[in-house]
Amino acid sequence: MTVAIDIGGTKIAGALVHPDGTMTATTRRPTPRGVDADAVMAAVGEVVADLADSPLWPSAVRCGIGSAGPVDASRGTVSPVNIGAWRAFPVQERVAAELAARGAELPTVLAGDGVAMTAAEHWLGAARGHANALCMVVSTGVGGGLILNNQLHPGPTGNAGHIGHISVAFDGDGEPCACGGRGCVESIASGTAIARWALAQGWTPAPGPEGSGNGRTPAAARNPSRTGDATAAGVAAAAGAGDPIALAAFDRAGRALAAAIAATATLVETDIAVIGGGVAAAGDTLFTPIRTHLADYARLSFVQELRVVPATLGTDAGLIGAAAAAAMLLPHTPSA
């Protein structure tokens, strides 16, 4: 049994994960906002306390923590962009202390959310059976992780595979990225970037329909305001309706992702790229341009069979991934 904890900007979740990937005693708390570091940690402690109440708690042999980043797995610290109270916060040490206080002195590992998602998809998802895989999260940012020779490859600080900060544009599209670089995949293909570019090109969100959210409006087009949805979901809905600017925004994003996927595959010979995250919910609106442009970039014989597929684990990927990362990265521990 593995204790799994998933820490994000909106929720902190926990579960006891069985060796077959099923989850027991799942619990969650909203991530506190406008509070100090210890108050956020208190919510993590409540999640651990819930898990400790399970009769299966004594069978836990390890703990995996998946967290929004940046992370520094070598130090066990996190500085999540979406949790402002945590900067270089020693989350691994603090979680280990919470476990010990409840009678479970367990080996514990920290993984960034992209690495955790990669571990999850390789264990039970779309990358299962692939010895070498790139897995990606395309959302408000673009992150990822690598499986090489059936092993999770997080790198010294836990950030290997961070494909969002590969530069793919050097001329007109080489705009500044939040990381300080220019032309990064994230600056072109994140949900934020897709919406920003579409708006700059003159795209206007369609007015939100009255009665939005009543179950009759597609989720991608829902908006509580009648001013329309100016997010990537709104761009995706417009692209689905044939809007040329919206289609161009996703084609631009797909090209950036294809270039980075092909570069990664050429470097380390991955044979599959798995894409999850909110932007991937656009389906073929995103995947069709990726696959189309991939044919232009993946030209060498050993990458021509490279596949790009959607992630399959959805919201479970965080907890399953935390458990999978623990199993793959920690020294061998006996089965529960």
mmCIF file of all heavy atoms in Angstrom, residues 245-273:
data_model
loop_
_atom_site.group_PDB
_atom_site.id
_atom_site.type_symbol
_atom_site.label_atom_id
_atom_site.label_comp_id
_atom_site.label_asym_id
_atom_site.label_seq_id
_atom_site.Cartn_x
_atom_site.Cartn_y
_atom_site.Cartn_z
ATOM 1 N N ILE A 245 -9.668 32.192 -37.053
ATOM 2 C CA ILE A 245 -8.618 32.616 -36.121
ATOM 3 C C ILE A 245 -8.427 31.566 -35.029
ATOM 4 O O ILE A 245 -7.298 31.233 -34.655
ATOM 5 C CB ILE A 245 -8.960 33.992 -35.514
ATOM 6 C CG1 ILE A 245 -8.967 35.068 -36.596
ATOM 7 C CG2 ILE A 245 -7.945 34.346 -34.415
ATOM 8 C CD1 ILE A 245 -9.367 36.439 -36.087
ATOM 9 N N ALA A 246 -9.530 31.027 -34.525
ATOM 10 C CA ALA A 246 -9.434 29.994 -33.496
ATOM 11 C C ALA A 246 -8.719 28.757 -34.034
ATOM 12 O O ALA A 246 -7.880 28.157 -33.357
ATOM 13 C CB ALA A 246 -10.827 29.630 -32.982
ATOM 14 N N LEU A 247 -9.035 28.382 -35.262
ATOM 15 C CA LEU A 247 -8.358 27.240 -35.875
ATOM 16 C C LEU A 247 -6.869 27.528 -36.032
ATOM 17 O O LEU A 247 -6.025 26.656 -35.787
ATOM 18 C CB LEU A 247 -8.986 26.935 -37.233
ATOM 19 C CG LEU A 247 -10.352 26.246 -37.195
ATOM 20 C CD1 LEU A 247 -11.005 26.303 -38.562
ATOM 21 C CD2 LEU A 247 -10.207 24.792 -36.735
ATOM 22 N N ALA A 248 -6.538 28.754 -36.409
ATOM 23 C CA ALA A 248 -5.126 29.120 -36.566
ATOM 24 C C ALA A 248 -4.400 29.098 -35.231
ATOM 25 O O ALA A 248 -3.220 28.724 -35.163
ATOM 26 C CB ALA A 248 -5.020 30.500 -37.214
ATOM 27 N N ALA A 249 -5.082 29.489 -34.158
ATOM 28 C CA ALA A 249 -4.461 29.469 -32.833
ATOM 29 C C ALA A 249 -4.093 28.052 -32.432
ATOM 30 O O ALA A 249 -3.004 27.803 -31.888
ATOM 31 C CB ALA A 249 -5.408 30.092 -31.810
ATOM 32 N N PHE A 250 -4.976 27.096 -32.694
ATOM 33 C CA PHE A 250 -4.676 25.709 -32.346
ATOM 34 C C PHE A 250 -3.664 25.099 -33.314
ATOM 35 O O PHE A 250 -2.863 24.244 -32.915
ATOM 36 C CB PHE A 250 -5.967 24.884 -32.273
ATOM 37 C CG PHE A 250 -6.574 24.903 -30.898
ATOM 38 C CD1 PHE A 250 -7.489 25.891 -30.548
ATOM 39 C CD2 PHE A 250 -6.216 23.976 -29.948
ATOM 40 C CE1 PHE A 250 -8.034 25.929 -29.274
ATOM 41 C CE2 PHE A 250 -6.743 24.004 -28.672
ATOM 42 C CZ PHE A 250 -7.657 24.982 -28.333
ATOM 43 N N ASP A 251 -3.674 25.534 -34.567
ATOM 44 C CA ASP A 251 -2.669 25.039 -35.502
ATOM 45 C C ASP A 251 -1.280 25.504 -35.065
ATOM 46 O O ASP A 251 -0.305 24.731 -35.103
ATOM 47 C CB ASP A 251 -2.973 25.550 -36.909
ATOM 48 C CG ASP A 251 -1.999 24.993 -37.934
ATOM 49 O OD1 ASP A 251 -2.133 23.801 -38.287
ATOM 50 O OD2 ASP A 251 -1.100 25.728 -38.369
ATOM 51 N N ARG A 252 -1.182 26.755 -34.629
ATOM 52 C CA ARG A 252 0.088 27.310 -34.145
ATOM 53 C C ARG A 252 0.569 26.548 -32.910
ATOM 54 O O ARG A 252 1.751 26.190 -32.803
ATOM 55 C CB ARG A 252 -0.124 28.788 -33.833
ATOM 56 C CG ARG A 252 1.058 29.548 -33.272
ATOM 57 C CD ARG A 252 0.671 31.026 -33.158
ATOM 58 N NE ARG A 252 1.743 31.837 -32.597
ATOM 59 C CZ ARG A 252 1.855 32.133 -31.305
ATOM 60 N NH1 ARG A 252 0.961 31.695 -30.430
ATOM 61 N NH2 ARG A 252 2.851 32.884 -30.889
ATOM 62 N N ALA A 253 -0.350 26.291 -31.979
ATOM 63 C CA ALA A 253 0.005 25.528 -30.784
ATOM 64 C C ALA A 253 0.415 24.110 -31.147
ATOM 65 O O ALA A 253 1.404 23.568 -30.619
ATOM 66 C CB ALA A 253 -1.174 25.508 -29.813
ATOM 67 N N GLY A 254 -0.328 23.489 -32.050
ATOM 68 C CA GLY A 254 -0.015 22.124 -32.461
ATOM 69 C C GLY A 254 1.341 22.020 -33.123
ATOM 70 O O GLY A 254 2.086 21.044 -32.923
ATOM 71 N N ARG A 255 1.700 23.045 -33.901
ATOM 72 C CA ARG A 255 3.011 23.028 -34.546
ATOM 73 C C ARG A 255 4.124 23.117 -33.505
ATOM 74 O O ARG A 255 5.137 22.409 -33.604
ATOM 75 C CB ARG A 255 3.112 24.196 -35.530
ATOM 76 C CG ARG A 255 4.427 24.218 -36.284
ATOM 77 C CD ARG A 255 4.464 25.380 -37.266
ATOM 78 N NE ARG A 255 5.736 25.407 -37.988
ATOM 79 C CZ ARG A 255 6.096 26.346 -38.850
ATOM 80 N NH1 ARG A 255 5.258 27.351 -39.104
ATOM 81 N NH2 ARG A 255 7.251 26.301 -39.452
ATOM 82 N N ALA A 256 3.954 23.985 -32.509
ATOM 83 C CA ALA A 256 4.975 24.113 -31.456
ATOM 84 C C ALA A 256 5.126 22.804 -30.690
ATOM 85 O O ALA A 256 6.248 22.364 -30.399
ATOM 86 C CB ALA A 256 4.594 25.245 -30.507
ATOM 87 N N LEU A 257 4.013 22.189 -30.344
ATOM 88 C CA LEU A 257 4.070 20.917 -29.627
ATOM 89 C C LEU A 257 4.707 19.831 -30.484
ATOM 90 O O LEU A 257 5.523 19.044 -30.003
ATOM 91 C CB LEU A 257 2.665 20.504 -29.188
ATOM 92 C CG LEU A 257 2.052 21.379 -28.091
ATOM 93 C CD1 LEU A 257 0.552 21.123 -27.969
ATOM 94 C CD2 LEU A 257 2.735 21.127 -26.749
ATOM 95 N N ALA A 258 4.355 19.790 -31.769
ATOM 96 C CA ALA A 258 4.924 18.782 -32.665
ATOM 97 C C ALA A 258 6.432 18.927 -32.771
ATOM 98 O O ALA A 258 7.176 17.933 -32.752
ATOM 99 C CB ALA A 258 4.280 18.887 -34.048
ATOM 100 N N ALA A 259 6.915 20.164 -32.873
ATOM 101 C CA ALA A 259 8.360 20.387 -32.981
ATOM 102 C C ALA A 259 9.075 19.896 -31.732
ATOM 103 O O ALA A 259 10.134 19.246 -31.819
ATOM 104 C CB ALA A 259 8.642 21.874 -33.208
ATOM 105 N N ALA A 260 8.510 20.175 -30.566
ATOM 106 C CA ALA A 260 9.141 19.753 -29.314
ATOM 107 C C ALA A 260 9.065 18.242 -29.127
ATOM 108 O O ALA A 260 10.025 17.615 -28.650
ATOM 109 C CB ALA A 260 8.492 20.469 -28.140
ATOM 110 N N ILE A 261 7.955 17.653 -29.484
ATOM 111 C CA ILE A 261 7.806 16.198 -29.379
ATOM 112 C C ILE A 261 8.810 15.494 -30.291
ATOM 113 O O ILE A 261 9.476 14.530 -29.898
ATOM 114 C CB ILE A 261 6.361 15.784 -29.719
ATOM 115 C CG1 ILE A 261 5.398 16.243 -28.617
ATOM 116 C CG2 ILE A 261 6.253 14.277 -29.924
ATOM 117 C CD1 ILE A 261 3.926 16.162 -29.010
ATOM 118 N N ALA A 262 8.933 15.980 -31.517
ATOM 119 C CA ALA A 262 9.877 15.375 -32.459
ATOM 120 C C ALA A 262 11.317 15.535 -31.971
ATOM 121 O O ALA A 262 12.131 14.611 -32.089
ATOM 122 C CB ALA A 262 9.712 15.994 -33.842
ATOM 123 N N ALA A 263 11.642 16.709 -31.417
ATOM 124 C CA ALA A 263 12.999 16.929 -30.912
ATOM 125 C C ALA A 263 13.310 15.983 -29.767
ATOM 126 O O ALA A 263 14.412 15.410 -29.694
ATOM 127 C CB ALA A 263 13.149 18.378 -30.454
ATOM 128 N N THR A 264 12.348 15.806 -28.866
ATOM 129 C CA THR A 264 12.553 14.901 -27.739
ATOM 130 C C THR A 264 12.738 13.464 -28.214
ATOM 131 O O THR A 264 13.630 12.742 -27.757
ATOM 132 C CB THR A 264 11.364 14.997 -26.770
ATOM 133 O OG1 THR A 264 11.226 16.343 -26.321
ATOM 134 C CG2 THR A 264 11.575 14.092 -25.565
ATOM 135 N N ALA A 265 11.872 13.037 -29.145
ATOM 136 C CA ALA A 265 11.964 11.668 -29.661
ATOM 137 C C ALA A 265 13.283 11.434 -30.382
ATOM 138 O O ALA A 265 13.884 10.358 -30.275
ATOM 139 C CB ALA A 265 10.790 11.389 -30.593
ATOM 140 N N THR A 266 13.751 12.430 -31.110
ATOM 141 C CA THR A 266 15.015 12.297 -31.813
ATOM 142 C C THR A 266 16.184 12.191 -30.836
ATOM 143 O O THR A 266 17.148 11.454 -31.061
ATOM 144 C CB THR A 266 15.222 13.497 -32.747
ATOM 145 O OG1 THR A 266 14.120 13.578 -33.660
ATOM 146 C CG2 THR A 266 16.514 13.362 -33.535
ATOM 147 N N LEU A 267 16.077 12.899 -29.717
ATOM 148 C CA LEU A 267 17.162 12.916 -28.733
ATOM 149 C C LEU A 267 17.246 11.618 -27.945
ATOM 150 O O LEU A 267 18.336 11.071 -27.741
ATOM 151 C CB LEU A 267 16.962 14.087 -27.775
ATOM 152 C CG LEU A 267 18.058 14.335 -26.745
ATOM 153 C CD1 LEU A 267 19.352 14.754 -27.441
ATOM 154 C CD2 LEU A 267 17.618 15.408 -25.761
ATOM 155 N N VAL A 268 16.095 11.083 -27.490
ATOM 156 C CA VAL A 268 16.126 9.926 -26.580
ATOM 157 C C VAL A 268 15.318 8.731 -27.081
ATOM 158 O O VAL A 268 15.143 7.749 -26.371
ATOM 159 C CB VAL A 268 15.655 10.323 -25.162
ATOM 160 C CG1 VAL A 268 16.626 11.302 -24.527
ATOM 161 C CG2 VAL A 268 14.241 10.905 -25.173
ATOM 162 N N GLU A 269 14.828 8.804 -28.324
ATOM 163 C CA GLU A 269 14.114 7.693 -28.958
ATOM 164 C C GLU A 269 12.864 7.254 -28.196
ATOM 165 O O GLU A 269 12.657 6.061 -27.966
ATOM 166 C CB GLU A 269 15.045 6.504 -29.204
ATOM 167 C CG GLU A 269 16.075 6.787 -30.286
ATOM 168 C CD GLU A 269 16.690 5.509 -30.852
ATOM 169 O OE1 GLU A 269 15.943 4.680 -31.407
ATOM 170 O OE2 GLU A 269 17.914 5.362 -30.723
ATOM 171 N N THR A 270 12.043 8.197 -27.803
ATOM 172 C CA THR A 270 10.708 7.845 -27.317
ATOM 173 C C THR A 270 9.861 7.441 -28.518
ATOM 174 O O THR A 270 10.067 7.930 -29.634
ATOM 175 C CB THR A 270 10.054 9.034 -26.599
ATOM 176 O OG1 THR A 270 10.105 10.184 -27.454
ATOM 177 C CG2 THR A 270 10.762 9.355 -25.300
ATOM 178 N N ASP A 271 8.902 6.538 -28.295
ATOM 179 C CA ASP A 271 8.053 6.117 -29.413
ATOM 180 C C ASP A 271 6.589 6.495 -29.216
ATOM 181 O O ASP A 271 5.753 6.190 -30.065
ATOM 182 C CB ASP A 271 8.183 4.613 -29.671
ATOM 183 C CG ASP A 271 7.790 3.763 -28.470
ATOM 184 O OD1 ASP A 271 7.256 4.309 -27.484
ATOM 185 O OD2 ASP A 271 8.021 2.538 -28.516
ATOM 186 N N ILE A 272 6.285 7.188 -28.110
ATOM 187 C CA ILE A 272 4.921 7.646 -27.888
ATOM 188 C C ILE A 272 4.962 8.942 -27.080
ATOM 189 O O ILE A 272 5.846 9.121 -26.231
ATOM 190 C CB ILE A 272 4.074 6.581 -27.151
ATOM 191 C CG1 ILE A 272 2.584 6.962 -27.167
ATOM 192 C CG2 ILE A 272 4.567 6.340 -25.726
ATOM 193 C CD1 ILE A 272 1.661 5.833 -26.717
ATOM 194 N N ALA A 273 4.053 9.845 -27.400
ATOM 195 C CA ALA A 273 3.853 11.070 -26.627
ATOM 196 C C ALA A 273 2.413 11.077 -26.156
ATOM 197 O O ALA A 273 1.482 10.976 -26.965
ATOM 198 C CB ALA A 273 4.147 12.307 -27.473
#
